[in-house]
Amino acid sequence: MKLTAGGRRLAAAALVQSLGIGLFMASSMAYFTRQVDLSANQVASGLALAGVVALGVSLLGGVLADRYGARRVLAAVYLGRGVCCVAYVFVTDFWQFMAVTLCAVACDRAAPPVLQALVAVAVPERQERTRLLAVVNVVRNCGLGVGAMAAGVALASDTQAAYRVTLVAIGLAFLGGAVLVLRVPELAASAAEAAPASETAPEGAAERPVKGRVLPDARYLTLTGLNFLLFFFDTMLLVAMPVWILEHTDAPRATVSVLFALNTVLVVVLQIPVSKLATGQRRTTRMLTWTGAVLAVSSLCFAASGSVAGGPAVAWLAAAVVTLSLAEVIANSAVWDLSIALAPEEQRGRYLSVFNLSVAGQRVLGPVMVTGLLLGSGSLGWWVAAAVLVVAGVAAERVARAAGERMREGVPVDA
């Protein structure tokens, strides 16, 4: 697809900072345990605690984006991440690690909704926003992979100097991302002034009195809660899939890494084509139902893999990951579009930050749900999950459609 100048800069910024994230993800554990002398449990508990605290802190990103502009805030977030990476060079104990990690994770959690808010003002046309976010997602996945491979240099050397050079390089990558973001033109405001209201409002949305509102309206909050369930594909892949394979099937252990790679390839290949399906309110909301249905099929494939052995088990697992990957790209395309379109322009950053809690919350609570409820029940857990996901998809479509109709009718969100 052809991108605007602003879109190309956002994609380039995503590539640069994802290279840094890939470097950090692949090398940080070795650095903290082998050079800073932290235990693996200290690192894991520090990351978990920082993730929980950052859930609330990350909401400030949306508030600041509404007040000072998404471009400035996103650049500041990227710069903050870069400073934190360089600060890791000077960490010598657990509490210093915790302080830097809390700041780093808060910046990380704040970035996605602020990025969406910037896309909303940089790309006035609704469908092009979704396609640009799809490009950013594909570029980010590629950058993570390349960055992770590049970290092999530091890992092979395994010296303090190599790790520190890597951390500085990561900081520079985030700085580069910040510079690129500052060069993104914000076009939506000027376009809105020049075009009739019917052309600029998403699907005919009318002006709505939202000043003074602290939380999003009830329908938006409901959609956020349902997205928490639909985003279960992330926890299914990262937590449920490897544990299920290793403890509940006789598939080879190598199957785990192969299926991770399969998911990465499918998301890179399918995300942009599927994003083109998000055209119009009715069609986009229907994608939420499809997300729940496809995730349910994936759950049933996982369940089936536990009752067979050898090749059939691997085949069922492959089918589960293929359908899970398809659900992921469908869900991404739908929620990128709807989370922006259903948010009032005056408080778009705040709305998107609240919506992003469904994603961040799934990453915090999802592993507990998987280990405590789903996997503990064996195949029955997958059947229950399938039923819940189908209901969540249907409910999300109805809520999103009702919210869109309410906007077209010009009904105030407080009514």
Side-chain angles (χ1 to χ4, degrees), residues 33-115:
T33 56
R34 297 178 67 83
Q35 304 299 328
V36 186
D37 291 329
L38 299 178
S39 69
N41 286 336
Q42 284 179 313
V43 176
S45 61
L47 290 171
L49 180 58
V52 173
V53 176
L55 284 178
V57 176
S58 64
L59 291 175
L60 292 175
V63 175
L64 294 174
D66 289 333
R67 186 166 185 175
Y68 299 107
R71 178 173 56 189
R72 293 177 180 176
V73 174
L74 186 60
V77 166
Y78 284 172
L79 181 60
R81 283 294 307 274
V83 170
C84 288
C85 287
V86 175
Y88 277 127
V89 171
F90 305 99
V91 166
T92 58
D93 60 40
F94 175 73
W95 294 110
Q96 292 177 2
F97 166 77
M98 275 299 307
V100 177
T101 299
L102 178 58
C103 294
V105 174
C107 289
D108 182 65
R109 295 290 188 270
V114 179
L115 171 62

Side-chain angles (χ1 to χ4, degrees), residues 300-320:
L300 297 180
C301 289
F302 275 118
S305 68
S307 59
V308 293
V314 174
W316 278 115
L317 289 168

